[in-house]
Amino acid sequence: MAKIPTSRVDRLLSSMGYGSRTEMARMAKAGGITLDAADLVDVTRRIPVTPDLPKRMEIDGEPLDPVAGMVILLNKPLGMTCSHKEIGPRVYDILPARWKRRDPVISTIGRLDKQTSGLLLLTDDGDLLHRVISPRRHVKKTYRARLARPLKGTEGDLFASGQLMLEGEEKPLAPAGLEVASETEALLSVTEGRYHQVRRMFAATGNHVEELHRERLGGLTLPDELAPGQWKLLSDEEISLIFQ
Ligand code: URA
């Protein structure tokens, strides 16, 4: 059985972005921290860090944030970047502000372009992140693309061939699946994550992607009820769907 990690309360809360250890001590003294409905005054106390802690601990009357090991499913809106470094609106701005101070940090699992919307995962679990993006896992990503020009009818075979070489690259793309939705709309499923891959694949056929939206990742589908900019935490069951 895996060993349950323990942490000092002040270290734990500080690593979750609530404030410095001194601030946590002050908050506890003022009655701002409860565990199992009782005031927790001694923040040097070590407690087991279990996933049910947010149900048992309150900070300033609010349930504790999720402990490390979370996976967030976001419906990424257009116009936001996935990079920690870029200037301008970033997907991290959608999440609670203190989550920017968490350690381990929350990162996106792969990236979507600024002008791509849809299913985006974020996590603070580095192992999971690497498993999802590892080319060896072949996790399928499905995009809905609206195109500037009608499809020719030959794109499906080309994308499935495993022979398509993108400009400036030395290795052909792995086979990808195309499902035509209309003359100018298609669903494209890829297992790689090359730079601007979907846009470049259609560009290689003489077309141009006008709108791009990710609908699926592995066995996970973006729920209809999750509007652009909304997010939810995934359960363990939902996380395992990624690899199906
Ligand atoms: N392919 C692209 O071209 N852009 C994305 O954001 C994702 C895949």
Side-chain angles (χ1 to χ4, degrees), residues 112-113 116 143 196-199 212:
L112 291 178
D113 301 337
T116 301
Y143 297 85
H196 292 331
Q197 182 169 340
V198 174
R199 293 176 201 275
L212 193 58

Side-chain angles (χ1 to χ4, degrees), residues 110-113 133 135 139 141 143 162-175 190-201 212 214:
R111 287 187 182 178
L112 291 178
D113 301 337
I133 64 172
V139 174
K141 290 148 281 222
Y143 297 85
Q163 308 281 312
L164 176 60
M165 191 79 92
L166 293 178
E167 223 178 286
E169 299 210 355
E170 284 168 7
K171 202 173 155 237
L173 290 174
V190 302
T191 56
E192 297 168 290
R194 301 203 202 178
Y195 182 66
H196 292 331
Q197 182 169 340
V198 174
R199 293 176 201 275
R200 289 164 74 209
M201 286 172 77
L212 193 58
R214 183 152 73 187

Side-chain angles (χ1 to χ4, degrees), residues 4-242:
I4 295 169
T6 63
S7 173
R8 273 172 56 145
V9 171
D10 54 356
R11 283 220 177 92
L12 174 69
L13 297 181
S14 197
S15 74
M16 293 171 81
Y18 283 100
S20 68
R21 280 157 57 190
T22 314
E23 283 165 338
M24 294 304 95
R26 215 178 293 137
M27 187 190 267
K29 277 211 182 81
I33 303 176
T34 62
L35 179 62
D36 297 326
D39 280 350
L40 189 150
V41 182
D42 177 12
V43 288
T44 66
R45 186 173 144 194
R46 282 194 94 82
I47 57 165
V49 184
T50 51
D52 71 343
L53 210 48
K55 291 199 186 99
R56 298 173 46 217
M57 193 173 229
E58 288 192 354
I59 311 295
D60 269 342
E62 297 290 331
L64 180 75
D65 291 338
V67 297
M70 64 168 142
V71 182
I72 300 157
L73 167 64
L74 167 71
N75 184 353
K76 178 191 172 293
L78 293 173
M80 293 195 130
T81 65
C82 292
S83 162
H84 275 292
K85 292 180 199 135
E86 270 177 64
I87 302 165
R90 298 169 311 159
V91 290
Y92 304 101
D93 300 335
I94 293 173
L95 303 174
R98 69 173 160 266
W99 290 16
K100 286 192 187 139
R101 299 189 293 270
R102 284 179 68 118
D103 177 19
V105 291
I106 297 173
S107 302
T108 63
I109 302 184
R111 287 187 182 178
L112 291 178
D113 301 337
K114 190 171 180 180
Q115 291 311 334
T116 301
S117 57
L119 194 162
L120 181 70
L121 297 181
L122 299 100
T123 189
D124 56 1
D125 180 341
D127 288 344
L128 179 86
L129 189 153
H130 286 111
R131 273 191 287 137
V132 181
I133 64 172
S134 161
R136 276 180 290 132
R137 294 263 176 176
H138 305 291
V139 174
K140 195 157 98 177
K141 290 148 281 222
T142 303
Y143 297 85
R144 185 174 290 275
R146 206 171 58 73
L147 303 162
R149 289 177 273 284
L151 289 153
K152 295 174 183 152
T154 50
E155 295 86 348
D157 286 345
L158 177 66
F159 293 164
S161 69
Q163 308 281 312
L164 176 60
M165 191 79 92
L166 293 178
E167 223 178 286
E169 299 210 355
E170 284 168 7
K171 202 173 155 237
L173 290 174
L178 188 77
E179 198 187 307
V180 175
S182 79
E183 258 199 334
T184 52
E185 194 171 300
L187 287 164
L188 178 58
S189 296
V190 302
T191 56
E192 297 168 290
R194 301 203 202 178
Y195 182 66
H196 292 331
Q197 182 169 340
V198 174
R199 293 176 201 275
R200 289 164 74 209
M201 286 172 77
F202 282 107
T205 71
N207 216 323
H208 176 74
V209 172
E210 293 209 314
E211 282 173 26
L212 193 58
H213 180 78
R214 183 152 73 187
E215 292 192 347
R216 284 178 73 82
L217 189 139
L220 269 183
T221 304
L222 187 65
D224 287 340
E225 64 275 14
L226 209 62
Q230 288 188 331
W231 57 273
K232 66 169 207 155
L233 290 173
L234 293 187
S235 65
D236 289 345
E237 243 167 80
E238 290 169 316
I239 294 169
S240 64
L241 282 178
I242 299 171

